[in-house]
Amino acid sequence: MEYFAFQWHITDECDQRCEHCYIFSENNNIVLKSMSWNDILHTWDEISDMCSQMGRLPYIYLTGGDPILHPHFWDLLNLFHKNEVPFTIMGNPFHLTKENCKKMRELGCRKYQLSIDGLEQTHDSIRKKGSFQTTLAKIDVMHGASLPVAVMTTVSGTNIKEIPAIVDLVVEKKVEVFAFARYCPTSLEKDVHITPTEYRNLLETLWKKFEQYKDCQTSFNLKDHLFTPFLYEKGYFKIDTSLDTDTIYDGCNCGANHITITPNGDVMACRRCESVVGNIFKNSLYNIWNSEKMDFYRQYDKFEACKDCELLRFCRGCPSVAYGMTHNFYAKDPQCWFK
C-alpha cells in the first residue's frame, strides 16, 4: 500500500525569525497560532479517514514553527506510535537534548530535519546568531541517540555560492540525508536572484559533488524537479516510451500525493505558496482533496512553458517559485533553462 504525505503544522511558535519564512516574512505582528489537543485529535481522525477511503497509508511530516514547543508534542508522538504511523520531524536544533532525541527515536521518528542555509556568517544572518554552531552540535547529539538526521537548505542568491561547501559539511558530519529547494518569494517585490544559467551551473557542480561522495553515508535527495531536465540532458534520465502519455508520473506534488495542514486548520495544496483549498474544521479532508479548488492544481495543460515539453509528466519545475515571482501558479519556472 502506498503512502500519502501530510505536512502537518501544529504551531507557529518558533525560536527563530528566518528571512525566508512564510509565517513571519510579511507581518512581524502576526498572532501565532497553535492547535488545541481537541483540534489535533480532530485532524488525526480526518487524516485517518481520508487514507482509509483512498486505500493509502499516512506519512506525517510534523512541523511548525518548531513542533517541540507545542504543549502536546509528546502526546501526538505517542499517538503516532500507538497507530504505527511513520513520521519525520522538521524543526529547530535548540531543544534537542540527548533524552529528547532518544525518546523521539523510540516513538518511531524516522528522521529529524534541520536547516543549514549557508556557512556560519550567512546562516546566522538568515536565521539567528549562534544557530549554525548549535545545529552542528545537535547533529552529534542526534547521532548519539541513533536518531537519523536530514539537512535541508533553502537556496537563494544570498547563499548559492556556499551550497557546495554545505555538501562537504554534511558529508563530514555523516548526515543521513541532504536536500535543497529554492527560496519562494513571499511577495512580488522579492526575487530569488538566480538566473537559469546560474542555477544549471549549480546543479552541474552539485552533481559532481554527489558523484564524488556516492559511496559515503549521506543520501542526496534530488528534491528540486529541475534535476529532471538536467539529468535528461546528460542522458541519465530517459523517458520510458511504454508509459501512458496522459499520466503524470513525477514532478510537483500539488494535487498528487501531498497536502499541508496549518495550525488554524487551513488545508493547502503547497505550503510554499498561497494555495488554501479548504479548512479541516469546516469540511472533511477527503472532500477537500476531491474539491474543485484542489483540482485547480491538477490542470497540467495550463503550465505555460511545460505543456508542450516532453518532460511535462515528470518535472514541471517548481510552480511555487513561479507563483512567488508572478502570482501565476502556471507561469514558467524562473530558473528553468530547458527549452
Side-chain angles (χ1 to χ4, degrees):
M1 193 177 294
E2 295 183 2
Y3 284 111
F4 189 98
F6 298 87
Q7 184 173 325
W8 187 357
H9 298 251
I10 57 175
T11 182
D12 287 335
E13 295 288 345
C14 187
D15 294 312
Q16 301 186 105
R17 294 293 183 270
C18 306
E19 289 183 357
H20 55 254
C21 179
Y22 31 69
I23 297 175
F24 303 104
S25 60
E26 303 302 326
N27 184 357
N28 291 327
N29 297 314
I30 188 173
V31 176
L32 302 182
K33 299 174 285 293
S34 289
M35 282 191 170
S36 68
W37 181 239
N38 285 337
D39 290 342
I40 287 174
L41 291 177
H42 175 84
T43 302
W44 170 247
D45 287 342
E46 287 293 328
I47 288 173
S48 301
D49 180 68
M50 175 179 169
C51 287
S52 176
Q53 292 193 64
M54 295 176 64
R56 306 282 284 275
L57 296 172
Y59 191 106
I60 307 296
Y61 291 88
L62 188 66
T63 188
D66 190 353
I68 200 171
L69 295 177
H70 194 285
H72 291 287
F73 173 75
W74 296 109
D75 296 324
L76 182 54
L77 264 56
N78 274 289
L79 183 65
F80 294 156
H81 182 64
K82 176 183 176 182
N83 288 276
E84 299 181 340
V85 171
F87 62 96
T88 289
I89 298 173
M90 302 186 292
N92 291 329
F94 306 110
H95 306 282
L96 297 179
T97 64
K98 184 175 181 179
E99 293 73 22
N100 282 346
C101 292
K102 184 179 179 182
K103 190 174 180 181
M104 290 178 204
R105 182 61 174 161
E106 290 173 347
L107 291 174
C109 182
R110 296 284 182 90
K111 57 183 177 291
Y112 192 104
Q113 179 178 297
L114 294 167
S115 294
I116 296 179
D117 288 324
L119 300 181
E120 184 167 9
Q121 182 177 351
T122 301
H123 176 94
D124 284 359
S125 69
I126 292 172
R127 290 184 168 268
K128 178 181 178 180
K129 186 173 178 58
S131 174
F132 182 82
Q133 290 298 334
T134 300
T135 299
L136 297 188
K138 296 303 183 177
I139 289 173
D140 296 334
V141 171
M142 286 188 282
H143 281 155
S146 299
L147 179 61
V149 182
V151 165
M152 179 71 183
T153 296
T154 299
V155 180
S156 69
T158 301
N159 64 6
I160 187 170
K161 294 181 180 179
E162 298 179 14
I163 308 304
I166 295 175
V167 174
D168 294 331
L169 179 62
V170 298
V171 170
E172 177 187 344
K173 298 296 290 184
K174 295 181 170 58
V175 166
E176 280 76 7
V177 180
F178 172 75
F180 64 89
R182 284 167 287 154
Y183 165 62
C184 289
T186 52
S187 60
L188 289 175
E189 67 271 14
K190 296 184 179 181
D191 195 342
V192 183
H193 297 296
I194 302 173
T195 68
T197 299
E198 288 173 329
Y199 196 64
R200 193 197 181 285
N201 289 342
L202 173 66
L203 298 188
E204 184 76 54
T205 299
L206 293 183
W207 184 253
K208 291 177 181 177
K209 285 279 186 186
F210 298 164
E211 288 287 288
Q212 174 187 346
Y213 292 126
K214 64 182 178 181
D215 295 324
C216 77
Q217 69 290 324
T218 302
S219 173
F220 300 104
N221 182 351
L222 307 185
K223 181 180 176 69
D224 194 317
H225 306 304
L226 289 184
F227 263 113
T228 300
F230 173 78
L231 296 176
Y232 185 67
E233 288 178 338
K234 296 182 75 69
Y236 294 122
F237 176 80
K238 299 182 185 299
I239 298 174
D240 185 345
T241 56
S242 68
L243 295 176
D244 179 62
T245 57
D246 295 324
T247 301
I248 299 297
Y249 292 98
D250 204 349
C252 175
N253 286 322
C254 282
N257 58 4
H258 173 92
I259 207 167
T260 295
I261 303 168
T262 67
N264 68 353
D266 280 345
V267 178
M268 306 180 74
C270 178
R271 189 64 181 90
R272 287 159 58 84
C273 71
E274 298 175 21
S275 59
V276 176
V277 292
N279 188 285
I280 203 168
F281 303 128
K282 299 178 181 178
N283 202 347
S284 77
L285 192 55
Y286 180 78
N287 287 341
I288 292 171
W289 178 250
N290 291 288
S291 67
E292 289 185 6
K293 285 188 176 180
M294 183 61 80
D295 282 342
F296 171 84
Y297 299 96
R298 301 176 176 125
Q299 299 177 39
Y300 305 111
D301 60 337
K302 289 189 176 181
F303 281 93
E304 295 174 0
C306 303
K307 60 184 179 181
D308 297 320
C309 178
E310 62 264 42
L311 298 177
L312 170 69
R313 296 171 293 150
F314 311 96
C315 176
R316 300 180 302 289
C318 182
S320 290
V321 176
Y323 179 87
M325 293 290 293
T326 65
H327 276 193
N328 175 7
F329 184 80
Y330 293 111
K332 185 180 187 297
D333 185 314
Q335 276 76 53
C336 182
W337 68 90
F338 192 71
K339 298 181 180 179

